[in-house]
Structure formats: C-alpha cells, structure tokens
Amino acid sequence: MNKPLRRIAIFCGLLVLALLVRDNWLQYVKADSLKNDTLNRRVTIARYATPRGDIIVDGDPITGSTTTSKSGLNDLKYKRTYKNGPMWAPVTGFASQAFGATQLESIEDGILTGNDDRLFFRNTLDMITGKQRQGGNVVTTLNAAAQKAAYNGLKSQGGKGAVAALDPSTGKILALASYPSYDPSSFAGNSTSTDSKAWTALQKKNNPNDPMLNRALRETYPPGSTFKVVTAAAALENGLYTSADQNTNSPLPYVMPGTTTELKNEGNIPCKNATMRTALRVSCNTVFGKIGADLGNDKMLAEAKKFGFDEEQFTPVRSAASVFSDNMNKSQTALSSIGQFNTAATPLQMAMVASAVANDGKLMKPYMVDKLQSSNLDTIAQTDPQELSQPLSSKNAQILQSMMETVVKEGTGTKAQINGVTVGGKTGTAQHGVENSENPYAWFISYAKLPDGSSPVAVAVVIEDDQANRDDISGGGLAAPIAKSVMEAVINSKK
C-alpha cells in the first residue's frame, strides 16, 4: 500500500474508533443523565404511554389511569386518576404530567411505570409475547376503614389537623390523614386551562391553609402534655420513681431552677407530691416539669431519642424529624419535658410513643408499603417488621400502660372509652404563638387493648383550629373522639 492510501486508511480507522468511543460514552457513561434530562421528551412520552400500576389498600386500588385528550400539543397517552383523592393524598402523593410526582407515586415510580430493574424478567417476557408493558402494584399497610374515620373526623372539626395510626406489634401504618387536603386528580394532566389553574390555587402563597402539606408526616407541633408519657418513661427507666403510685417530690408552687418563675398547672388540681398516676390523670405540669429538671437534659434527651426523636423516619415517605433539644438548662428542660419550649413532634412520632408503650416497651419501625407486585401479582419485594428500639423495659411499659389507662377511665381522656376494650391515652393542649397568643393545639395519643391482651392499634391526633373558641380547645374534647373512631374502625375490621 502506498503512503497516501496508508494515511487515509489510518485516518478512517481513527474516525471509526472515535465513533465507537463516542457511541459507548453516550450509551453507558451518559445514559442515566440523558435519560433523566428534563429536555428529553421521549422519556416523558414513554412514561405515560401505558397505564401506571396501582396503589392498593385492603385489596382494592385507590388509583387508576385514564386516556388523555389528544388536543393541542399533548402527546402523553395516559394520566393518573384517584379514588377519594383528598382522603388518600397523604399516602399516595401525586403523579402529574406537568408537575412530576411525590411520595409513594415518586418513591415507587419504577414499579408503577414498569421500569424497575426487578421487573426485567417480566418485561422481557412481555416483549417476546408482544404484550404491552404494564406497571406493577404497591400494596400498602393502610386500613381503609381507619383512614375514612380519621379523615372524616378531621373534616368534621372544620380546622386543620392530622392523624397517624400504627399497629404496635409490627409498625404497620394503618391510617395517615391530613386536613385540609387536595385532589391529586385535579392536576394529573398538563392542560394549562385546568391542571395549571388547579395547581396554582393549591400553592401556599395562594392558599394559606396549605392543603398540600402532609401534616401527619411533615409538620411538627409542640406536643404539649402528650409528651409527659415520654417523661414518665424516663422517670421509670432511670429509677427516679419505680412505681406509678409512689408519691413524687413535687412541691406546689414549683419554681423552675435558676429562675423566679413558677411553673403553673391548669386549674386547681391535686399536684402537690402527687403520684405519677394522679399526675398523668389530671396532667400536672409541676410534677413532670420537675421530673425533667431532676433527670436533666442528657437523660431526657436519651429517652426521647429511644422513642425516635431527633431522627427522620422513612416509611418509605420521609417524615420530618421530631425535636428534643440538647444543651438546655434545668428550667428549659422542665418546660421541654411537658412538651413546650423547643420540643416539637409530628403526629407519626407521637403515634410511635403510644405504640411503644402498648407493645410492652418495644418500638417497631413504622412502614406503609407491605409489598411490591409485578403486573401479574407476583411479589417482588416484601417488607418485614423491624424493631427500631426499646424505649422501656416490659415491666416499666406495663406500669405506664396502667397510668395511661387511668387517664381514659377517670381522667382527661374519658371520651376515648370503648365498650369491652381497654384504652390507654393522654391528652394534650399545647401552647402556640408568642407568649401563648394563638389558639393552642389539641392532642390525643392512645392505644386499644383487646380482652386477649393484644393491642391492634395506637393513634395520635392533633387539631389546630384558628376559629374555635379558645376555652373550647382541649385534647380530650376535640382530638379524643377522633382517636376513638379510628381505634373502633381497626377493631371492627378485625372481627
């Protein structure tokens, strides 16, 4: 071969090599970034070319898919639909052609669209047989009756609030309700005349009620007197008191350490040197504030963390971290130990507190996805219950159970009583606003215990009502009836 031809051959070879390198670079190195590029319209078209799989509750889908109008520039074939969308929105989140996806719709998007690698065999088989690719299903742990009771209870109050309910023995989430809520179907498409208007109307700047906020998982509130359950657990676990019925060292009035400020109780209640049972029954700030100060910040913080405070929870939807502060002085620790100062908790967190007490001191990790299924209903992933921590010994948990049951039998939580069922609970009315200037939050946490000793449900309810008469706001009056209806729904569904 003469020299000019050899040069041309080498040059052509280099071009082919460069083409191969570039091709492999695009297919393997850049594949994910190109696939996820917002300008790559083909990915979006493929995502909505087939119906999504469903989110399942009690064996029935709470989601669906429908064909989209082909008018204008819309080239996306299917859009999402929801059954009882506002009731289930805190569970499902949304999947929108225009605005993306959140919560289960986002986290399990690969399963629902059929793109998850775990569906490779199923998709390959469908491709061979010529069958249209189908998404898989997300089977939840939710109880439809409990969710309905929770949502309707919140709606009947007319304000804002949330409910979280758990199975104490497994950590399964049975209800997760938030009010006010929204219908994800209203903006599931990409029409500027309907979907965009619905989306804009739901944004917080346009709607101060913030209906898209998942209050059960993402909002933290001062837990008020419901936190006294954690403080009582800390007292028992650290040996400050060993019985529900021994007198505490609780003077009245009680001046917080390092200050000249008295910690007040609500009304004329028997708090001087009261037993922890009496103090929980009538909700003595002085008793539990002093317990917190006597134990100190480190021991109180350690106990709060055992219940899940100061850590995000993943259900798999992320829940905001509840807060019990570090580096507090004794008076700040006293206030924090009655659920005020910097203490803040999500409804899920307070349901975890009640759940751990009901489960003889063992806290199970909360979760809402029971299993993932392929389109032909084969199980491709199953969630197993997992112990998160042991905040109390079995003995101390049973002592605390007896205290919480007294609250419902003859204390501030009598509206949660259920015939033939043992109910333990704790009310809370948490101060809110600068110098308690705004309406307080009404809390109730509880669990139900059946005659066979099993505890199928633990609940936390919080109500925030800006329009209510301040004197009418109480955990026992507003929140306890909702908790009762949720517990009854779970119990009746097991019959």
Side-chain angles (χ1 to χ4, degrees):
M1 181 183 296
N2 61 38
K3 191 172 183 179
L5 288 176
R6 187 165 57 250
R7 288 177 175 173
I8 292 172
I10 291 172
F11 179 69
C12 289
L14 291 173
L15 289 177
V16 171
L17 179 62
L19 182 62
L20 290 172
V21 170
R22 179 63 175 169
D23 184 55
N24 280 275
W25 171 262
L26 290 174
Q27 289 193 53
Y28 296 102
V29 179
K30 298 289 289 181
D32 286 341
S33 62
L34 291 172
K35 178 181 177 181
N36 297 319
D37 194 311
T38 56
L39 299 177
N40 187 352
R41 183 72 178 166
R42 295 176 65 182
V43 174
T44 304
I45 292 172
R47 180 184 300 278
Y48 295 102
T50 57
R52 288 172 74 84
D54 283 314
I55 297 173
I56 309 292
V57 175
D58 286 344
D60 297 319
I62 58 173
T63 57
S65 295
T66 186
T67 53
T68 304
S69 170
K70 291 293 184 179
S71 61
L73 298 175
N74 190 5
D75 51 4
L76 307 180
K77 187 174 182 181
Y78 289 94
K79 70 175 183 178
R80 198 56 146 166
T81 61
Y82 297 86
K83 299 176 184 177
N84 297 316
M87 185 173 82
W88 291 112
V91 175
T92 62
F94 62 81
S96 168
Q97 293 176 347
F99 304 107
T102 60
Q103 297 181 194
L104 288 184
E105 290 278 31
S106 174
I107 293 169
E108 305 297 354
D109 183 71
I111 294 293
L112 294 167
T113 59
N115 290 325
D116 193 283
D117 290 341
R118 289 169 290 183
L119 297 173
F120 175 78
F121 177 77
R122 183 76 246 167
N123 291 339
T124 302
L125 187 62
D126 288 345
M127 183 174 62
I128 293 172
T129 60
K131 185 178 178 181
Q132 184 184 50
R133 188 186 68 197
Q134 293 179 284
N137 296 325
V138 177
V139 181
T140 73
T141 62
L142 277 290
N143 180 303
Q147 183 76 7
K148 183 177 181 180
Y151 183 75
N152 288 345
L154 293 171
K155 187 175 181 180
S156 69
Q157 293 293 341
K160 293 177 279 190
V163 177
L166 300 170
D167 179 339
S169 65
T170 61
K172 290 181 178 179
I173 295 176
L174 304 176
L176 200 69
S178 179
Y179 190 84
S181 189
Y182 67 98
D183 186 357
S185 296
S186 66
F187 54 89
N190 62 11
S191 168
T192 55
S193 62
T194 56
D195 299 279
S196 292
K197 287 181 180 178
W199 171 267
T200 300
L202 290 169
Q203 303 310 298
K204 186 175 182 180
K205 63 182 179 181
N206 301 317
N207 191 331
N209 286 329
D210 201 5
M212 297 186 75
L213 173 63
N214 187 340
R215 291 175 167 83
L217 296 180
R218 299 288 176 82
E219 184 73 305
T220 58
Y221 304 85
S225 292
T226 59
F227 191 82
K228 291 171 184 173
V229 173
V230 178
T231 303
L236 292 167
E237 285 294 292
N238 287 282
L240 183 64
Y241 299 108
T242 58
S243 163
D245 298 308
Q246 69 183 105
N247 289 334
T248 61
N249 178 19
S250 307
L252 197 67
Y254 170 59
V255 178
M256 291 184 290
T259 75
T260 57
T261 303
E262 289 183 17
L263 183 58
K264 301 287 188 180
N265 293 310
E266 293 292 330
N268 185 22
I269 51 179
C271 295
K272 184 175 181 178
N273 298 327
T275 67
M276 282 205 297
R277 184 187 305 279
T278 296
L280 201 70
R281 175 175 65 84
V282 299
S283 204
C284 294
N285 291 334
T286 51
V287 173
F288 290 100
K290 188 172 186 299
I291 285 174
D294 288 347
L295 290 174
N297 193 178
D298 290 348
K299 289 180 179 178
M300 283 299 304
L301 177 61
E303 186 65 21
K305 284 185 173 182
K306 289 179 183 177
F307 278 104
F309 278 77
D310 290 351
E311 284 189 15
E312 294 179 336
Q313 304 298 328
F314 294 87
T315 68
V317 178
R318 181 182 64 83
S319 177
S322 298
V323 177
F324 191 88
S325 294
D326 198 358
N327 297 320
M328 294 186 292
N329 62 36
K330 284 186 176 294
S331 64
Q332 292 168 338
T333 303
L335 289 172
S336 294
S337 298
I338 60 170
Q340 297 293 166
F341 193 59
N342 287 339
T343 305
T346 63
L348 176 67
Q349 173 63 75
M350 296 314 295
M352 291 165 65
V353 170
S355 174
V357 175
N359 196 35
D360 287 344
K362 184 186 297 183
L363 177 61
M364 303 300 291
K365 178 179 172 59
Y367 67 99
M368 73 170 81
V369 174
D370 181 46
K371 57 186 173 183
L372 304 176
Q373 295 177 328
S374 65
S375 59
N376 67 343
L377 306 186
D378 287 342
T379 298
I380 60 174
Q382 178 83 47
T383 304
D384 294 322
Q386 178 183 340
E387 182 177 338
L388 195 62
S389 62
Q390 181 91 31
L392 298 97
S393 68
S394 177
K395 177 184 176 182
N396 287 335
Q398 289 167 18
I399 293 172
L400 193 45
Q401 287 171 23
S402 74
M403 293 164 58
M404 293 178 69
E405 288 159 15
T406 299
V407 171
V408 175
K409 287 176 184 175
E410 54 190 70
T412 56
T414 55
K415 289 188 177 181
Q417 293 175 358
I418 301 173
N419 289 336
V421 176
T422 300
V423 177
K426 182 67 190 82
T427 55
T429 306
Q431 294 181 0
H432 173 218
V434 178
E435 295 185 354
N436 196 20
S437 59
E438 299 183 42
N439 274 359
Y441 299 128
W443 278 93
F444 191 70
I445 64 172
S446 62
Y447 63 84
K449 189 189 298 180
L450 301 182
D452 64 2
S454 64
S455 182
V457 58
V459 187
V461 180
V462 64
I463 303 292
E464 43 175 317
D465 191 345
D466 296 334
Q467 306 305 316
N469 185 320
R470 187 183 183 92
D471 292 336
D472 294 336
I473 298 175
S474 70
L478 297 182
I482 297 175
K484 175 183 177 178
S485 66
V486 173
M487 290 187 289
E488 286 180 321
V490 173
I491 292 167
N492 291 335
S493 70
K494 293 182 176 295
K495 292 180 178 178

